[in-house]
Amino acid sequence: MTIIRQTSLFGIQELYDMEPTQKYEAIISAINLDKIYYKITKKSRKGAPEELNYAAMIISTFVRYVERIPT
């Protein structure tokens, strides 16, 4: 069985040296948000309101994960 190692986007020290806004911008720019946005956007008139900011929800989920915020 082979072991597959995925290279990291940034070194841990490099992330520590960045300001929080720079860190978030670097991480979010490395991720293709278009595919995620397409999957979660509203497809019908029923359910959640159309005014929800889906892009902000996606970005806040990644920031929450990076900052280790539980909920």
Side-chain angles (χ1 to χ4, degrees):
M1 184 164 122
T2 60
I3 297 174
I4 300 172
R5 291 188 179 196
Q6 184 175 356
T7 59
S8 62
L9 294 173
F10 310 100
I12 197 73
Q13 188 60 41
E14 188 179 12
L15 283 175
Y16 282 138
D17 293 341
M18 290 182 184
E19 295 290 324
T21 54
Q22 293 173 333
K23 179 172 39 174
Y24 303 150
E25 181 63 33
I27 292 169
I28 298 301
S29 66
I31 299 170
N32 185 1
L33 296 177
D34 292 335
K35 290 181 181 181
I36 299 170
Y37 183 77
Y38 176 75
K39 289 288 185 182
I40 67 165
T41 53
K42 187 172 178 170
K43 308 285 190 279
S44 71
R45 296 178 57 198
K46 299 178 183 176
E50 294 179 9
E51 297 86 30
L52 293 176
N53 191 346
Y54 291 104
M57 286 191 272
I58 295 168
I59 292 170
S60 66
T61 301
F62 284 110
V63 170
R64 183 185 71 110
Y65 182 77
V66 169
E67 292 298 325
R68 295 184 178 137
I69 300 171
T71 56

